Amino acid sequence: MARAGKASDGAAMPVKNASKVGPHYPQVLVLVGATGDLSKRKLLPGLFHLCRAGFIPGCRIIGVSLDDLDADGFRELARKALEQFSKRKLLETDWAEFSQILDYVPMSAGAGAVKAAVEAAERALPGESRRIHYLSVPPSAALSAVRLLAEAGLAADSRIIMEKPFGTDLASAVSLNARLHEVFAEEQIFRIDHFLGKEAAQNILAFRFANGLFEPIWNRNFIDHVQIDVPETLGLAQRASFYEATGAFRDMVVTHLFQILAFVAMEPPTSLEPAPISEEKNKVFRSMLPIDPRNVVRGQYTGYRSEEGVDPESDTETFIALRCAIDNWRWAGVPFFLRTGKRLAEGQRIISLAFREPPKSMFPLGSGVGSQGPDHLTFDLADASKMSLSFYGKRPGPGMRLDKLSLQFAMRDTGLMGEVLEAYERLILDAMRGDRTLFTTAEGIERLWEVSVPLLESPPPVRLYPPGSWGPKSIHQLVAPHAWRLPFERTWRDPDRLGS
């Protein structure tokens, strides 16, 4: 993997803050799909921050795309992307340095031109360097991009990051993995799920396994049910053709919600290393029962079929809610409810664990106990992560009246929000380091498609729901006798507002 390079010619961006969490070697990153929406919104701003902050000890970025640009044209595109989408201030000195590490090769130039650009980038970096490829392309273009890298001789001793979806069913996932493995070994492949790159998702592991208060009760004896709820207010944007062939289940559940479920349900790994964590996640997937279509509600928002690029008789779901089960010692009998969809009432990313209620109540009628449901432990997976533990407590005054109270924590309470990496930044950095902890494996992906076979073969009919609602009314029958945690009875506390 190591390749000797010439001393820096001044084109590589200098390191400002040496960091132990970054890779040990300079990186040459081939960004396939460099002019696309994801690249402009997330990848280029993220790479700019990682380079500027000194997480990467030297870097060169080679954009590859269908657009007929030269290096200056790509730099102009990158500058506009940073100005529009970066959440951090763009200083001219930083941009001047970053622009010099950017290069571009149009796809039409062929494999030889890509190889020549990579070799020139390696010569511009000091000492040894490593190669990493990011495929920011639609699934239909992934294998052609892989073939381009193989033809250029850039596959050996490199790493490759791939975007979802990883197949559309079991057969396509198995075929895709087989084709990938003809060029890249499994340990070279990093299948990215940006949900797992969020601080809040990783905080689930810390919360579970570092606290003696909660790990002993993290099982079927104390937890009644679990909800993973990711409603979106957004519609299709410009993704009609993609969404028509995919739908909410393939787009969100297999690639995102099931991965979060594994973090919630996994057994303690032997260590916080990539292999033990991946193994425990895969054990969860092996223990999942096949999804029963009778435990699924598919929905489609009114007006979807009128969208440009959508079949007027489309049966594609823009909403899905389902009940699934993990048939192992820890979770037997505990239902997991998952919900996600487009054009819903709120945009949220919530994990909520409902605790079992006491078997008998000593409190008099009218006390209020039980009136607001069970106690909940709730994780908000938004970038500014939050947690809440709800419980009943006595209302001040005479008599025994109980109200639902809560203990709440927000990351910004710590004063460390400035240190939070965005999800793509964290995952790119992990891939450069070879850390596979937060990435999915071929085995895990294929198993998830396997448990999805009954649903994909016999999907229930889609039910219409109005935009701005919480989905079809039948979702309440799905979750009964429980209730959906969203919408919240109470809003998250705002420290700024409380102090005003």
Side-chain angles (χ1 to χ4, degrees), residues 38-39 41-47 49-50 134-136 161-164 192-199 202 256 383 421-432 439:
L38 176 63
S39 176
R41 287 179 177 273
K42 295 293 184 180
L43 304 183
L44 289 170
L47 288 164
H49 176 241
L50 293 177
Y134 197 122
L135 302 192
S136 179
I161 304 174
M162 299 193 63
E163 282 286 339
K164 69 175 182 72
I192 195 167
D193 174 8
H194 71 271
F195 270 49
L196 297 188
K198 294 180 176 296
E199 286 286 345
Q202 298 163 57
H256 292 323
D383 290 331
L421 289 177
E422 291 194 353
Y424 280 99
E425 295 172 353
R426 169 64 187 266
L427 292 170
I428 290 172
L429 206 60
D430 281 356
M432 287 179 172
F439 295 86

mmCIF file of all heavy atoms in Angstrom, residues 38-39 41-47 49-50 134-136 161-164 192-199 202 256 383 421-432 439:
data_model
loop_
_atom_site.group_PDB
_atom_site.id
_atom_site.type_symbol
_atom_site.label_atom_id
_atom_site.label_comp_id
_atom_site.label_asym_id
_atom_site.label_seq_id
_atom_site.Cartn_x
_atom_site.Cartn_y
_atom_site.Cartn_z
ATOM 1 N N LEU A 38 -24.716 15.437 -3.910
ATOM 2 C CA LEU A 38 -24.123 15.024 -2.637
ATOM 3 C C LEU A 38 -22.724 15.591 -2.481
ATOM 4 O O LEU A 38 -22.336 16.049 -1.399
ATOM 5 C CB LEU A 38 -24.086 13.495 -2.536
ATOM 6 C CG LEU A 38 -23.405 12.932 -1.285
ATOM 7 C CD1 LEU A 38 -24.160 13.337 -0.021
ATOM 8 C CD2 LEU A 38 -23.288 11.410 -1.360
ATOM 9 N N SER A 39 -21.968 15.572 -3.561
ATOM 10 C CA SER A 39 -20.616 16.115 -3.509
ATOM 11 C C SER A 39 -20.631 17.582 -3.129
ATOM 12 O O SER A 39 -19.857 18.039 -2.274
ATOM 13 C CB SER A 39 -19.919 15.914 -4.855
ATOM 14 O OG SER A 39 -18.636 16.507 -4.851
ATOM 15 N N ARG A 41 -23.105 19.360 -1.653
ATOM 16 C CA ARG A 41 -23.737 19.651 -0.362
ATOM 17 C C ARG A 41 -22.920 19.171 0.835
ATOM 18 O O ARG A 41 -22.858 19.846 1.868
ATOM 19 C CB ARG A 41 -25.132 19.016 -0.300
ATOM 20 C CG ARG A 41 -26.163 19.701 -1.155
ATOM 21 C CD ARG A 41 -27.512 19.009 -1.061
ATOM 22 N NE ARG A 41 -28.527 19.698 -1.831
ATOM 23 C CZ ARG A 41 -29.264 20.702 -1.371
ATOM 24 N NH1 ARG A 41 -29.124 21.092 -0.112
ATOM 25 N NH2 ARG A 41 -30.159 21.290 -2.137
ATOM 26 N N LYS A 42 -22.311 17.987 0.698
ATOM 27 C CA LYS A 42 -21.691 17.357 1.864
ATOM 28 C C LYS A 42 -20.206 17.043 1.715
ATOM 29 O O LYS A 42 -19.410 17.316 2.620
ATOM 30 C CB LYS A 42 -22.446 16.055 2.200
ATOM 31 C CG LYS A 42 -23.889 16.253 2.648
ATOM 32 C CD LYS A 42 -23.954 16.967 3.992
ATOM 33 C CE LYS A 42 -25.391 17.082 4.496
ATOM 34 N NZ LYS A 42 -25.453 17.786 5.805
ATOM 35 N N LEU A 43 -19.834 16.449 0.584
ATOM 36 C CA LEU A 43 -18.487 15.882 0.495
ATOM 37 C C LEU A 43 -17.412 16.952 0.352
ATOM 38 O O LEU A 43 -16.409 16.934 1.088
ATOM 39 C CB LEU A 43 -18.413 14.888 -0.664
ATOM 40 C CG LEU A 43 -19.452 13.750 -0.612
ATOM 41 C CD1 LEU A 43 -19.248 12.784 -1.772
ATOM 42 C CD2 LEU A 43 -19.386 13.008 0.730
ATOM 43 N N LEU A 44 -17.591 17.887 -0.576
ATOM 44 C CA LEU A 44 -16.584 18.938 -0.726
ATOM 45 C C LEU A 44 -16.499 19.826 0.514
ATOM 46 O O LEU A 44 -15.390 20.106 0.996
ATOM 47 C CB LEU A 44 -16.861 19.750 -1.986
ATOM 48 C CG LEU A 44 -16.579 19.018 -3.306
ATOM 49 C CD1 LEU A 44 -17.107 19.813 -4.491
ATOM 50 C CD2 LEU A 44 -15.083 18.734 -3.464
ATOM 51 N N PRO A 45 -17.632 20.288 1.097
ATOM 52 C CA PRO A 45 -17.517 21.036 2.352
ATOM 53 C C PRO A 45 -16.884 20.216 3.468
ATOM 54 O O PRO A 45 -16.087 20.744 4.264
ATOM 55 C CB PRO A 45 -18.975 21.399 2.683
ATOM 56 C CG PRO A 45 -19.659 21.421 1.360
ATOM 57 C CD PRO A 45 -19.016 20.329 0.571
ATOM 58 N N GLY A 46 -17.202 18.927 3.534
ATOM 59 C CA GLY A 46 -16.620 18.085 4.574
ATOM 60 C C GLY A 46 -15.123 17.903 4.402
ATOM 61 O O GLY A 46 -14.352 17.981 5.361
ATOM 62 N N LEU A 47 -14.690 17.659 3.182
ATOM 63 C CA LEU A 47 -13.259 17.497 2.914
ATOM 64 C C LEU A 47 -12.507 18.797 3.169
ATOM 65 O O LEU A 47 -11.376 18.791 3.679
ATOM 66 C CB LEU A 47 -13.055 17.027 1.474
ATOM 67 C CG LEU A 47 -13.449 15.569 1.198
ATOM 68 C CD1 LEU A 47 -13.572 15.317 -0.297
ATOM 69 C CD2 LEU A 47 -12.440 14.616 1.836
ATOM 70 N N HIS A 49 -13.254 21.011 5.428
ATOM 71 C CA HIS A 49 -13.081 21.146 6.877
ATOM 72 C C HIS A 49 -12.025 20.191 7.404
ATOM 73 O O HIS A 49 -11.185 20.567 8.234
ATOM 74 C CB HIS A 49 -14.411 20.894 7.593
ATOM 75 C CG HIS A 49 -14.277 20.914 9.085
ATOM 76 N ND1 HIS A 49 -14.569 19.814 9.873
ATOM 77 C CD2 HIS A 49 -13.842 21.883 9.940
ATOM 78 C CE1 HIS A 49 -14.332 20.122 11.140
ATOM 79 N NE2 HIS A 49 -13.895 21.352 11.207
ATOM 80 N N LEU A 50 -12.037 18.942 6.939
ATOM 81 C CA LEU A 50 -11.061 17.964 7.421
ATOM 82 C C LEU A 50 -9.632 18.411 7.088
ATOM 83 O O LEU A 50 -8.717 18.254 7.900
ATOM 84 C CB LEU A 50 -11.340 16.592 6.810
ATOM 85 C CG LEU A 50 -12.635 15.905 7.240
ATOM 86 C CD1 LEU A 50 -12.807 14.577 6.504
ATOM 87 C CD2 LEU A 50 -12.661 15.665 8.749
ATOM 88 N N TYR A 134 -14.109 7.471 -3.561
ATOM 89 C CA TYR A 134 -15.468 7.706 -3.080
ATOM 90 C C TYR A 134 -16.398 7.695 -4.299
ATOM 91 O O TYR A 134 -16.284 8.538 -5.177
ATOM 92 C CB TYR A 134 -15.571 9.050 -2.356
ATOM 93 C CG TYR A 134 -16.812 9.172 -1.490
ATOM 94 C CD1 TYR A 134 -16.713 9.417 -0.133
ATOM 95 C CD2 TYR A 134 -18.091 9.039 -2.033
ATOM 96 C CE1 TYR A 134 -17.846 9.526 0.673
ATOM 97 C CE2 TYR A 134 -19.228 9.124 -1.234
ATOM 98 C CZ TYR A 134 -19.097 9.373 0.103
ATOM 99 O OH TYR A 134 -20.210 9.466 0.892
ATOM 100 N N LEU A 135 -17.338 6.726 -4.322
ATOM 101 C CA LEU A 135 -18.291 6.629 -5.424
ATOM 102 C C LEU A 135 -19.576 7.356 -5.041
ATOM 103 O O LEU A 135 -20.474 6.789 -4.420
ATOM 104 C CB LEU A 135 -18.592 5.165 -5.767
ATOM 105 C CG LEU A 135 -17.400 4.278 -6.157
ATOM 106 C CD1 LEU A 135 -17.897 2.966 -6.747
ATOM 107 C CD2 LEU A 135 -16.462 4.981 -7.128
ATOM 108 N N SER A 136 -19.644 8.624 -5.401
ATOM 109 C CA SER A 136 -20.854 9.418 -5.161
ATOM 110 C C SER A 136 -21.691 9.400 -6.427
ATOM 111 O O SER A 136 -21.893 10.432 -7.089
ATOM 112 C CB SER A 136 -20.474 10.853 -4.768
ATOM 113 O OG SER A 136 -21.623 11.634 -4.557
ATOM 114 N N ILE A 161 -15.242 3.830 -0.849
ATOM 115 C CA ILE A 161 -16.462 4.160 -0.117
ATOM 116 C C ILE A 161 -17.616 4.147 -1.106
ATOM 117 O O ILE A 161 -17.547 4.777 -2.161
ATOM 118 C CB ILE A 161 -16.366 5.550 0.539
ATOM 119 C CG1 ILE A 161 -15.140 5.627 1.458
ATOM 120 C CG2 ILE A 161 -17.628 5.863 1.326
ATOM 121 C CD1 ILE A 161 -14.902 7.020 2.024
ATOM 122 N N MET A 162 -18.695 3.432 -0.743
ATOM 123 C CA MET A 162 -19.836 3.292 -1.635
ATOM 124 C C MET A 162 -21.104 3.809 -0.975
ATOM 125 O O MET A 162 -21.335 3.583 0.218
ATOM 126 C CB MET A 162 -20.024 1.837 -2.054
ATOM 127 C CG MET A 162 -18.840 1.259 -2.800
ATOM 128 S SD MET A 162 -19.238 -0.303 -3.586
ATOM 129 C CE MET A 162 -20.501 0.200 -4.762
ATOM 130 N N GLU A 163 -21.934 4.491 -1.765
ATOM 131 C CA GLU A 163 -23.202 5.014 -1.295
ATOM 132 C C GLU A 163 -24.309 3.968 -1.464
ATOM 133 O O GLU A 163 -24.231 3.083 -2.310
ATOM 134 C CB GLU A 163 -23.578 6.283 -2.084
ATOM 135 C CG GLU A 163 -22.830 7.527 -1.645
ATOM 136 C CD GLU A 163 -23.336 8.070 -0.323
ATOM 137 O OE1 GLU A 163 -24.481 7.769 0.067
ATOM 138 O OE2 GLU A 163 -22.569 8.807 0.326
ATOM 139 N N LYS A 164 -25.356 4.103 -0.641
ATOM 140 C CA LYS A 164 -26.525 3.246 -0.747
ATOM 141 C C LYS A 164 -27.305 3.574 -2.024
ATOM 142 O O LYS A 164 -27.069 4.635 -2.620
ATOM 143 C CB LYS A 164 -27.417 3.463 0.473
ATOM 144 C CG LYS A 164 -28.105 4.843 0.505
ATOM 145 C CD LYS A 164 -29.044 4.943 1.658
ATOM 146 C CE LYS A 164 -29.755 6.287 1.673
ATOM 147 N NZ LYS A 164 -30.769 6.437 0.622
ATOM 148 N N ILE A 192 -21.264 3.104 3.095
ATOM 149 C CA ILE A 192 -21.497 4.218 3.999
ATOM 150 C C ILE A 192 -22.984 4.363 4.343
ATOM 151 O O ILE A 192 -23.859 4.206 3.486
ATOM 152 C CB ILE A 192 -20.952 5.530 3.387
ATOM 153 C CG1 ILE A 192 -20.847 6.628 4.441
ATOM 154 C CG2 ILE A 192 -21.783 5.990 2.200
ATOM 155 C CD1 ILE A 192 -20.029 7.830 3.979
ATOM 156 N N ASP A 193 -23.251 4.619 5.597
ATOM 157 C CA ASP A 193 -24.583 4.970 6.087
ATOM 158 C C ASP A 193 -24.409 6.197 6.968
ATOM 159 O O ASP A 193 -23.911 6.094 8.088
ATOM 160 C CB ASP A 193 -25.191 3.815 6.888
ATOM 161 C CG ASP A 193 -26.522 4.182 7.537
ATOM 162 O OD1 ASP A 193 -27.049 5.272 7.239
ATOM 163 O OD2 ASP A 193 -27.032 3.392 8.352
ATOM 164 N N HIS A 194 -24.799 7.369 6.449
ATOM 165 C CA HIS A 194 -24.483 8.601 7.182
ATOM 166 C C HIS A 194 -25.201 8.672 8.529
ATOM 167 O O HIS A 194 -24.769 9.410 9.412
ATOM 168 C CB HIS A 194 -24.796 9.824 6.314
ATOM 169 C CG HIS A 194 -26.255 10.090 6.110
ATOM 170 N ND1 HIS A 194 -26.978 9.543 5.089
ATOM 171 C CD2 HIS A 194 -27.113 10.866 6.811
ATOM 172 C CE1 HIS A 194 -28.227 9.960 5.160
ATOM 173 N NE2 HIS A 194 -28.341 10.774 6.180
ATOM 174 N N PHE A 195 -26.280 7.904 8.724
ATOM 175 C CA PHE A 195 -26.940 7.890 10.031
ATOM 176 C C PHE A 195 -25.977 7.432 11.117
ATOM 177 O O PHE A 195 -25.995 7.938 12.239
ATOM 178 C CB PHE A 195 -28.157 6.971 9.998
ATOM 179 C CG PHE A 195 -29.437 7.662 9.607
ATOM 180 C CD1 PHE A 195 -29.482 8.470 8.478
ATOM 181 C CD2 PHE A 195 -30.587 7.508 10.352
ATOM 182 C CE1 PHE A 195 -30.649 9.109 8.097
ATOM 183 C CE2 PHE A 195 -31.763 8.142 9.981
ATOM 184 C CZ PHE A 195 -31.789 8.943 8.852
ATOM 185 N N LEU A 196 -25.135 6.432 10.797
ATOM 186 C CA LEU A 196 -24.230 5.888 11.802
ATOM 187 C C LEU A 196 -23.056 6.811 12.067
ATOM 188 O O LEU A 196 -22.323 6.620 13.043
ATOM 189 C CB LEU A 196 -23.717 4.517 11.361
ATOM 190 C CG LEU A 196 -24.785 3.425 11.207
ATOM 191 C CD1 LEU A 196 -24.120 2.081 10.956
ATOM 192 C CD2 LEU A 196 -25.694 3.343 12.426
ATOM 193 N N GLY A 197 -22.850 7.810 11.217
ATOM 194 C CA GLY A 197 -21.768 8.758 11.446
ATOM 195 C C GLY A 197 -22.134 9.880 12.399
ATOM 196 O O GLY A 197 -21.274 10.672 12.791
ATOM 197 N N LYS A 198 -23.390 9.956 12.784
ATOM 198 C CA LYS A 198 -23.827 11.025 13.674
ATOM 199 C C LYS A 198 -23.378 10.756 15.103
ATOM 200 O O LYS A 198 -23.398 9.625 15.579
ATOM 201 C CB LYS A 198 -25.350 11.166 13.608
ATOM 202 C CG LYS A 198 -25.852 11.634 12.250
ATOM 203 C CD LYS A 198 -27.355 11.763 12.232
ATOM 204 C CE LYS A 198 -27.828 12.319 10.894
ATOM 205 N NZ LYS A 198 -27.335 13.681 10.660
ATOM 206 N N GLU A 199 -22.968 11.806 15.786
ATOM 207 C CA GLU A 199 -22.545 11.673 17.182
ATOM 208 C C GLU A 199 -23.626 11.005 18.027
ATOM 209 O O GLU A 199 -23.337 10.198 18.900
ATOM 210 C CB GLU A 199 -22.218 13.052 17.763
ATOM 211 C CG GLU A 199 -20.927 13.662 17.280
ATOM 212 C CD GLU A 199 -19.705 13.004 17.896
ATOM 213 O OE1 GLU A 199 -19.844 12.275 18.896
ATOM 214 O OE2 GLU A 199 -18.601 13.228 17.364
ATOM 215 N N GLN A 202 -23.629 7.196 17.700
ATOM 216 C CA GLN A 202 -22.516 6.583 18.429
ATOM 217 C C GLN A 202 -22.705 6.710 19.942
ATOM 218 O O GLN A 202 -22.218 5.884 20.715
ATOM 219 C CB GLN A 202 -21.213 7.244 17.999
ATOM 220 C CG GLN A 202 -20.909 7.062 16.518
ATOM 221 C CD GLN A 202 -19.875 8.046 16.027
ATOM 222 O OE1 GLN A 202 -18.783 8.095 16.570
ATOM 223 N NE2 GLN A 202 -20.216 8.833 15.028
ATOM 224 N N HIS A 256 -30.812 2.438 6.539
ATOM 225 C CA HIS A 256 -30.637 3.330 7.683
ATOM 226 C C HIS A 256 -31.270 2.771 8.962
ATOM 227 O O HIS A 256 -30.580 2.538 9.961
ATOM 228 C CB HIS A 256 -31.252 4.706 7.396
ATOM 229 C CG HIS A 256 -30.538 5.484 6.351
ATOM 230 N ND1 HIS A 256 -29.167 5.479 6.209
ATOM 231 C CD2 HIS A 256 -30.997 6.313 5.385
ATOM 232 C CE1 HIS A 256 -28.824 6.267 5.200
ATOM 233 N NE2 HIS A 256 -29.905 6.771 4.686
ATOM 234 N N ASP A 383 -28.228 16.474 14.443
ATOM 235 C CA ASP A 383 -26.812 16.805 14.607
ATOM 236 C C ASP A 383 -26.517 17.343 16.005
ATOM 237 O O ASP A 383 -25.481 17.043 16.596
ATOM 238 C CB ASP A 383 -26.393 17.829 13.549
ATOM 239 C CG ASP A 383 -26.357 17.213 12.148
ATOM 240 O OD1 ASP A 383 -26.100 16.004 12.055
ATOM 241 O OD2 ASP A 383 -26.593 17.934 11.175
ATOM 242 N N LEU A 421 -18.073 16.541 14.562
ATOM 243 C CA LEU A 421 -17.907 16.381 13.124
ATOM 244 C C LEU A 421 -19.248 16.015 12.508
ATOM 245 O O LEU A 421 -20.030 15.268 13.101
ATOM 246 C CB LEU A 421 -16.897 15.265 12.822
ATOM 247 C CG LEU A 421 -15.424 15.535 13.137
ATOM 248 C CD1 LEU A 421 -14.601 14.300 12.832
ATOM 249 C CD2 LEU A 421 -14.899 16.719 12.353
ATOM 250 N N GLU A 422 -19.523 16.539 11.320
ATOM 251 C CA GLU A 422 -20.706 16.092 10.617
ATOM 252 C C GLU A 422 -20.522 14.641 10.197
ATOM 253 O O GLU A 422 -19.406 14.123 10.111
ATOM 254 C CB GLU A 422 -20.959 16.986 9.401
ATOM 255 C CG GLU A 422 -21.380 18.395 9.774
ATOM 256 C CD GLU A 422 -21.953 19.163 8.590
ATOM 257 O OE1 GLU A 422 -21.905 18.636 7.455
ATOM 258 O OE2 GLU A 422 -22.452 20.283 8.808
ATOM 259 N N ALA A 423 -21.663 13.972 9.923
ATOM 260 C CA ALA A 423 -21.639 12.527 9.702
ATOM 261 C C ALA A 423 -20.690 12.123 8.579
ATOM 262 O O ALA A 423 -19.872 11.203 8.737
ATOM 263 C CB ALA A 423 -23.051 12.034 9.411
ATOM 264 N N TYR A 424 -20.767 12.811 7.447
ATOM 265 C CA TYR A 424 -19.899 12.436 6.323
ATOM 266 C C TYR A 424 -18.433 12.699 6.649
ATOM 267 O O TYR A 424 -17.547 11.938 6.231
ATOM 268 C CB TYR A 424 -20.314 13.184 5.053
ATOM 269 C CG TYR A 424 -21.517 12.566 4.366
ATOM 270 C CD1 TYR A 424 -22.788 13.097 4.545
ATOM 271 C CD2 TYR A 424 -21.370 11.453 3.544
ATOM 272 C CE1 TYR A 424 -23.888 12.529 3.915
ATOM 273 C CE2 TYR A 424 -22.460 10.885 2.911
ATOM 274 C CZ TYR A 424 -23.721 11.422 3.099
ATOM 275 O OH TYR A 424 -24.803 10.856 2.476
ATOM 276 N N GLU A 425 -18.161 13.756 7.375
ATOM 277 C CA GLU A 425 -16.782 14.042 7.760
ATOM 278 C C GLU A 425 -16.226 12.907 8.610
ATOM 279 O O GLU A 425 -15.094 12.436 8.390
ATOM 280 C CB GLU A 425 -16.727 15.360 8.533
ATOM 281 C CG GLU A 425 -17.116 16.566 7.702
ATOM 282 C CD GLU A 425 -17.246 17.843 8.517
ATOM 283 O OE1 GLU A 425 -17.158 17.767 9.763
ATOM 284 O OE2 GLU A 425 -17.436 18.916 7.921
ATOM 285 N N ARG A 426 -16.986 12.489 9.595
ATOM 286 C CA ARG A 426 -16.539 11.419 10.477
ATOM 287 C C ARG A 426 -16.304 10.125 9.696
ATOM 288 O O ARG A 426 -15.287 9.434 9.897
ATOM 289 C CB ARG A 426 -17.590 11.194 11.571
ATOM 290 C CG ARG A 426 -17.398 9.933 12.404
ATOM 291 C CD ARG A 426 -16.103 9.969 13.205
ATOM 292 N NE ARG A 426 -15.848 8.705 13.874
ATOM 293 C CZ ARG A 426 -16.205 8.456 15.128
ATOM 294 N NH1 ARG A 426 -16.814 9.378 15.835
ATOM 295 N NH2 ARG A 426 -15.932 7.295 15.679
ATOM 296 N N LEU A 427 -17.211 9.793 8.799
ATOM 297 C CA LEU A 427 -17.113 8.518 8.091
ATOM 298 C C LEU A 427 -15.981 8.532 7.065
ATOM 299 O O LEU A 427 -15.302 7.517 6.871
ATOM 300 C CB LEU A 427 -18.450 8.196 7.425
ATOM 301 C CG LEU A 427 -19.575 7.896 8.427
ATOM 302 C CD1 LEU A 427 -20.920 7.839 7.718
ATOM 303 C CD2 LEU A 427 -19.315 6.600 9.185
ATOM 304 N N ILE A 428 -15.778 9.654 6.401
ATOM 305 C CA ILE A 428 -14.630 9.750 5.482
ATOM 306 C C ILE A 428 -13.333 9.575 6.255
ATOM 307 O O ILE A 428 -12.414 8.859 5.823
ATOM 308 C CB ILE A 428 -14.647 11.097 4.738
ATOM 309 C CG1 ILE A 428 -15.806 11.136 3.739
ATOM 310 C CG2 ILE A 428 -13.320 11.342 4.024
ATOM 311 C CD1 ILE A 428 -16.020 12.493 3.104
ATOM 312 N N LEU A 429 -13.251 10.208 7.408
ATOM 313 C CA LEU A 429 -12.051 10.105 8.228
ATOM 314 C C LEU A 429 -11.829 8.665 8.677
ATOM 315 O O LEU A 429 -10.705 8.147 8.643
ATOM 316 C CB LEU A 429 -12.190 11.032 9.441
ATOM 317 C CG LEU A 429 -10.904 11.551 10.080
ATOM 318 C CD1 LEU A 429 -10.088 12.361 9.096
ATOM 319 C CD2 LEU A 429 -11.246 12.382 11.312
ATOM 320 N N ASP A 430 -12.906 7.986 9.102
ATOM 321 C CA ASP A 430 -12.791 6.588 9.523
ATOM 322 C C ASP A 430 -12.319 5.699 8.375
ATOM 323 O O ASP A 430 -11.485 4.807 8.568
ATOM 324 C CB ASP A 430 -14.130 6.083 10.048
ATOM 325 C CG ASP A 430 -14.421 6.545 11.465
ATOM 326 O OD1 ASP A 430 -13.543 7.204 12.063
ATOM 327 O OD2 ASP A 430 -15.510 6.258 11.980
ATOM 328 N N ALA A 431 -12.865 5.917 7.173
ATOM 329 C CA ALA A 431 -12.452 5.106 6.029
ATOM 330 C C ALA A 431 -10.982 5.324 5.700
ATOM 331 O O ALA A 431 -10.252 4.382 5.376
ATOM 332 C CB ALA A 431 -13.329 5.422 4.819
ATOM 333 N N MET A 432 -10.528 6.569 5.799
ATOM 334 C CA MET A 432 -9.112 6.849 5.561
ATOM 335 C C MET A 432 -8.231 6.132 6.576
ATOM 336 O O MET A 432 -7.102 5.731 6.267
ATOM 337 C CB MET A 432 -8.861 8.354 5.614
ATOM 338 C CG MET A 432 -9.388 9.115 4.417
ATOM 339 S SD MET A 432 -9.069 10.905 4.572
ATOM 340 C CE MET A 432 -9.560 11.471 2.927
ATOM 341 N N PHE A 439 -19.433 1.096 9.386
ATOM 342 C CA PHE A 439 -19.796 0.738 8.022
ATOM 343 C C PHE A 439 -20.447 -0.640 7.993
ATOM 344 O O PHE A 439 -20.237 -1.458 8.897
ATOM 345 C CB PHE A 439 -18.561 0.763 7.118
ATOM 346 C CG PHE A 439 -17.965 2.130 6.961
ATOM 347 C CD1 PHE A 439 -17.037 2.616 7.882
ATOM 348 C CD2 PHE A 439 -18.329 2.953 5.911
ATOM 349 C CE1 PHE A 439 -16.485 3.872 7.751
ATOM 350 C CE2 PHE A 439 -17.775 4.222 5.769
ATOM 351 C CZ PHE A 439 -16.863 4.686 6.692
#
